[in-house]
Amino acid sequence: MADDAVPLLAPPEPATPSGEDADRKDAVRDATAATQATAAPDVASSDDASAQAAVRRRSLSPSRAGDFLTCPLLYRFRVIDRLPEPPSPAAARGTLVHAVLEHLFDRPAPERTPELARSLLDPEWDRLVTDEPELGSLFAAETDLAAWLGEAGVMLDRYFTLEDPRRLEPAHRELSVEAELASGLRLRGYIDRLDVAPGGQTRIVDYKTGSAPPTEFEARALFQMKFYALVLWRAQGRVPRLLQLMYLGNGEIVRYEPDEADLRATERKIEALWQAIERARQSRDWRPRPGRLCDWCAHKALCPAFGGTPPDLPAEVDLPSAASGELASGPALVGDDLV
């Protein structure tokens, strides 16, 4: 399949570490976007008023949407306070497995074997540690690192039981996509893999290093995928044919065929979610929502629900714009986005 089968909506960044932890991935890219926006010259001409307005347009990614759905205070900690979060072995493993699967497709199709995938683990880990030195502090002993790499290898072996990469030529990997809704809200994100059939039908693929959720939580897991599908539909005018979540933790695949009604409902949900975020900003009320994920939260000690005290809010609370990015640090709560 030719790479131009689907218009590139925004340039991919193959050098950026990718991973199961979409929050960690988003943090790196958003920080880069913010640096570029800061380094850009000031707009002085009245002719550039529209450019200034574009800079102020609000943006939302599925990771940040998931944060607010999980807990408004978590959204505040990550987006407004920008509190750092230490890396975790689970999130780092997701990053590593994603990196291997991304670069597996750099090789000619006949070479894409389980043996090749395992051989990429050590060099990809070295590259990730070079890019993010704090990852090197995760393991106190070489034996711990070796066992952890072995777990990542098991996940890669499991991937090959789900599909044969020798029969695939993805149109895009780590694809940056964005689209603006009628309200002016800009949606953006990074798709792990986009497959395009000869007839033009598209399949959005996302790798998860956790296990497939129970049926009652499946809709929440699919929200991220419907978010991506909505972005592609609004940008291209074509509904993706299939959404596919590949769970490498237990070797299951969740597939979903969206339609326009699904994506319109997703759009309404996202618009309502953004209105709730704006209300929280205006009222300065970022209340916690205690739940089953609190034990994994890096900010539990600061949460009022557990006797903590959040830092003081800045005098003016501004939400992320399309130019500044949605700055946040650290991994997701459990290494997977929206599970």
Side-chain angles (χ1 to χ4, degrees):
M1 286 170 273
D3 189 64
D4 59 359
V6 173
L8 190 61
L9 306 183
E13 301 178 25
T16 302
S18 63
E20 182 57 33
D21 176 13
D23 288 298
R24 190 175 190 82
K25 179 168 58 178
D26 287 348
V28 174
R29 287 163 174 155
D30 292 341
T32 300
T35 300
Q36 292 171 343
T38 302
D42 292 334
V43 180
S45 170
S46 59
D47 293 337
D48 292 329
S50 59
Q52 289 178 308
V55 166
R56 290 191 295 270
R57 286 180 301 191
R58 303 306 186 191
S59 70
L60 187 66
S61 72
S63 295
R64 299 289 76 79
D67 285 345
F68 193 86
L69 284 170
T70 299
C71 175
L73 185 60
L74 174 64
Y75 178 95
R76 179 204 142 169
F77 283 155
R78 286 180 166 167
V79 176
I80 297 171
D81 299 304
R82 304 178 187 178
L83 299 181
E85 297 179 22
S88 72
R93 183 175 56 218
T95 302
L96 176 61
V97 169
H98 267 66
V100 170
L101 292 176
E102 178 187 355
H103 294 297
L104 180 70
F105 287 98
D106 291 339
R107 304 297 182 91
E111 297 180 14
R112 299 170 194 162
T113 63
E115 293 74 22
L116 172 64
R118 278 184 170 264
S119 75
L120 294 175
L121 278 171
D122 284 340
E124 285 299 322
W125 175 242
D126 290 342
R127 182 182 64 81
L128 291 174
V129 172
T130 298
D131 291 343
E132 300 182 65
E134 68 270 21
L135 293 176
S137 64
L138 285 174
F139 307 102
E142 285 296 322
T143 53
D144 296 334
L145 174 59
W148 179 82
L149 287 171
E151 294 170 355
V154 170
M155 291 185 176
L156 290 172
D157 290 342
R158 193 171 288 131
Y159 162 75
F160 284 86
T161 69
L162 301 177
E163 67 179 7
D164 185 352
R166 295 173 298 180
R167 303 180 62 185
L168 295 169
E169 289 298 339
H172 300 288
R173 289 164 283 151
E174 290 300 308
L175 176 65
S176 171
V177 294
E178 62 178 47
E180 187 171 309
L181 303 183
S183 66
L185 176 63
R186 181 165 291 271
L187 306 183
R188 59 186 186 79
Y190 288 85
I191 295 174
D192 287 345
R193 199 180 87 203
L194 189 67
D195 299 334
V196 182
Q201 300 92 340
T202 58
R203 175 174 65 181
I204 299 174
V205 179
D206 195 73
Y207 307 119
K208 298 292 187 186
T209 50
S211 296
T215 303
E216 60 267 28
F217 295 108
E218 194 171 281
R220 185 164 175 80
L222 281 170
F223 172 75
Q224 174 190 2
M225 301 297 280
K226 291 182 180 181
F227 189 109
Y228 293 142
L230 173 62
V231 174
L232 287 178
W233 179 44
R234 288 307 187 196
Q236 300 176 341
R238 177 182 295 180
V239 175
R241 177 70 175 82
L242 186 67
L243 312 179
Q244 180 168 299
L245 285 155
M246 304 184 71
Y247 288 94
L248 307 183
N250 62 349
E252 292 187 21
I253 294 180
V254 174
R255 296 183 177 92
Y256 186 81
E257 297 183 12
D259 56 26
E260 288 194 11
D262 279 330
L263 301 188
R264 291 185 191 279
T266 299
E267 185 171 11
R268 290 193 297 269
K269 180 176 182 177
I270 291 172
E271 291 282 17
L273 178 64
W274 184 256
Q275 291 173 13
I277 292 173
E278 284 282 6
R279 286 195 298 270
R281 179 187 67 83
Q282 293 167 5
S283 66
R284 302 171 68 83
D285 182 7
W286 304 93
R287 62 188 59 188
R289 185 177 295 146
R292 65 188 181 92
L293 298 181
C294 291
D295 287 341
W296 286 274
C297 183
H299 312 299
K300 186 176 180 179
L302 298 174
C303 180
F306 298 94
T309 302
D312 292 335
L313 275 168
E316 294 292 332
V317 173
D318 196 16
L319 296 178
S321 69
S324 68
E326 298 177 37
L327 289 173
S329 299
L333 296 181
V334 292
D336 281 338
D337 215 19
L338 297 174
V339 299

